[in-house]
Amino acid sequence: MRPDGPRDSIVGPATGPAPPFPLKLDGKVVSGFGRGSKELGIPTANIPVEGLSVGGHEEIQSGVYYGWAGLSLSRNEASEKTRPVEARNGGTVDEDSNANATAGDAVYPMVMSIGWNPFYKNTVRSVEVHILHHFPRDFYGAHMNLLILGFIRPEYDYVSKESLIEDIRTDIEVTRRSLAREAYQRWRDDGYLLDFRHRSDVAT
């Protein structure tokens, strides 16, 4: 159950990711549980995971994480206008950080959940990624490279769907503020994010 009290507005050391971060995870976007957009109003991209390992780490705690996502998109999706995401501490997470990408490849800020989602009583562990960008259509089949830079909170059960949505929206704001710092901004230029050569469909 979610504890009472205020939450931190920024997470992660100011100097940048601390071990075990950054973590790398990649896979092909697949259809998920269908709840993100329909029930919660917060669309997610899902990638399949084999077993309990995340980025080669079996000890990774279920919960909410943040970082950058590299997507291999169609040319039409890549040509859509992007907009900056304003962080309330005065910083900016720029969604259009893709000047060096080839057509169809782009990097975006993301917040993700790893776990069982106890509110919905999932029976398999899942990776659900919310990208801080508006897409005009689904992009099933696109490949996604994730660079996970930090941990936001554990996985909780909730008394209502409304309290779950409230916490997810807080997660999004925490992600914006946390990534706006220079020590985290520089990771969006990591070559791994836009390297889609020899990637498998299942997250590795």
Side-chain angles (χ1 to χ4, degrees), residues 95-106:
E95 291 180 346
D96 193 10
S97 57
N98 309 300
N100 297 321
T102 59
D105 298 345

Side-chain angles (χ1 to χ4, degrees), residues 1 28-29 42 53 94 101-102 130 147 169 186 196 200 202:
M1 196 65 64
K28 188 168 286 188
V29 177
I42 303 168
S53 178
D94 186 358
T102 59
H130 174 67
L147 195 60
R169 296 200 180 281
R186 66 183 183 86
F196 298 103
S200 64
V202 178

Side-chain angles (χ1 to χ4, degrees), residues 114-185:
I114 301 172
W116 309 90
N117 201 329
F119 180 75
Y120 284 105
K121 308 297 188 293
N122 289 359
T123 57
V124 294
R125 199 179 196 208
S126 63
V127 172
E128 300 178 65
V129 182
H130 174 67
I131 296 176
L132 277 63
H133 177 76
H134 172 71
F135 294 92
R137 61 187 67 85
D138 293 331
F139 45 86
Y140 298 133
H143 204 92
M144 182 160 56
N145 293 339
L146 301 176
L147 195 60
I148 307 169
L149 300 184
F151 178 75
I152 296 178
R153 62 172 175 86
E155 186 175 49
Y156 298 129
D157 199 354
Y158 292 89
V159 296
S160 68
K161 183 170 64 178
E162 290 70 27
S163 60
L164 169 60
I165 292 172
E166 179 182 358
D167 242 15
I168 294 174
R169 296 200 180 281
T170 300
D171 296 335
I172 292 170
E173 293 303 317
V174 170
T175 294
R176 288 174 174 167
R177 297 187 191 100
S178 299
L179 287 178
R181 295 170 294 176
E182 182 178 356
Y184 292 81
Q185 282 277 308

Side-chain angles (χ1 to χ4, degrees), residues 1-78:
M1 196 65 64
R2 184 191 184 285
D4 294 329
R7 291 180 49 187
D8 293 335
S9 61
I10 295 177
V11 295
T15 53
F21 306 106
L23 295 175
K24 296 178 179 179
L25 185 68
D26 72 274
K28 188 168 286 188
V29 177
V30 298
S31 178
F33 299 103
R35 297 187 294 247
S37 294
K38 294 178 182 178
E39 290 191 32
L40 304 178
I42 303 168
T44 58
N46 303 272
I47 56 177
V49 177
E50 281 190 343
L52 299 179
S53 178
V54 175
H57 293 258
E58 294 187 1
E59 74 279 9
I60 291 300
Q61 177 182 359
S62 292
V64 179
Y65 296 79
Y66 69 97
W68 299 100
L71 279 177
S72 181
L73 299 169
S74 72
R75 289 180 180 272
N76 287 340
E77 286 164 331

